[in-house]
């Protein structure tokens, strides 16, 4: 970290090499002790049919960054509030684990029209802000 640069891996990543919790955990195990951080993405976990709380238990203390977007099993393209991600429970568990990193609010474009995007972004930001 001499230059202020960190290396992270976003796994679990739906429809990619580490597409489920088991494969993501195998990669995390290989990277243990390497200094490579883990990005938790609620949408990828839910789209893969996995439980964000189980993901957090298995990667406790190793989460370096968090992506926030909604999903349902099999569909990652949903705005916050349009899917099944339990952000309240997940964010509470992150806080209990001592997470102090940043969050990226990922704004979906496939379930809203161009004209609806500003309102959808404000709604998502308000919803998440109330939880963190």
């Amino acid at each position: 970290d001499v230059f202020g640069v960190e290396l992270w891996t976003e796994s679990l990543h739906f429809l990619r090499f580490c597409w489920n919790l088991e494969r993501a955990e195998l990669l995390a195990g290989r990277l243990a002790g390497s200094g490579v951080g883990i990005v938790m993405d609620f949408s990828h976990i839910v789209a893969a049919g996995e439980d964000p709380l189980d993901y957090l238990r298995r990667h406790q203390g190793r989460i370096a960054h968090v992506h926030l977007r909604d999903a349902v099993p099999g569909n990652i393209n949903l705005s916050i509030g349009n899917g099944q991600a339990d952000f309240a429970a997940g964010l509470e568990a992150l806080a209990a684990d001592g997470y102090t990193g940043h969050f990226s609010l990922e704004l979906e474009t496939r379930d809203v029209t161009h004209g609806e995007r500003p309102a959808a972004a404000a709604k998502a930001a308000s919803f998440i802000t109330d939880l963190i």
Side-chain angles (χ1 to χ4, degrees):
D1 194 347
V2 174
F3 298 101
V5 175
E6 297 178 14
L7 183 61
W8 303 336
T9 178
E10 184 175 341
S11 55
L12 189 154
H13 199 286
F14 184 59
L15 299 175
R16 298 292 188 261
F17 182 71
C18 290
W19 55 272
N20 67 11
L21 189 52
E22 179 184 348
R23 292 181 68 88
E25 191 171 10
L26 288 170
L27 177 60
R30 292 192 65 139
L31 296 173
S34 69
V36 175
I38 295 174
V39 176
M40 175 190 180
D41 189 314
F42 277 83
S43 63
H44 286 282
I45 295 165
V46 172
E50 303 286 3
D51 178 4
L53 295 179
D54 192 17
Y55 184 91
L56 285 167
R57 278 189 292 276
R58 294 179 188 217
H59 299 92
Q60 188 172 11
R62 296 194 55 203
I63 306 297
H65 188 70
V66 177
H67 289 175
L68 303 166
R69 179 174 55 180
D70 220 333
V72 295
N75 183 357
I76 196 168
N77 303 118
L78 297 175
S79 298
I80 289 180
N82 292 345
Q84 297 174 355
D86 187 349
F87 294 105
L91 294 172
E92 183 178 323
L94 278 163
D97 192 32
Y99 180 75
T100 59
H102 294 280
F103 299 91
S104 291
L105 182 60
E106 295 185 332
L107 302 176
E108 186 52 55
T109 60
R110 294 179 181 109
D111 66 345
V112 295
T113 66
H114 181 68
E116 294 169 330
R117 287 181 187 158
K123 178 183 169 188
S126 176
F127 177 82
I128 293 298
T129 299
D130 289 346
L131 298 176
I132 54 175

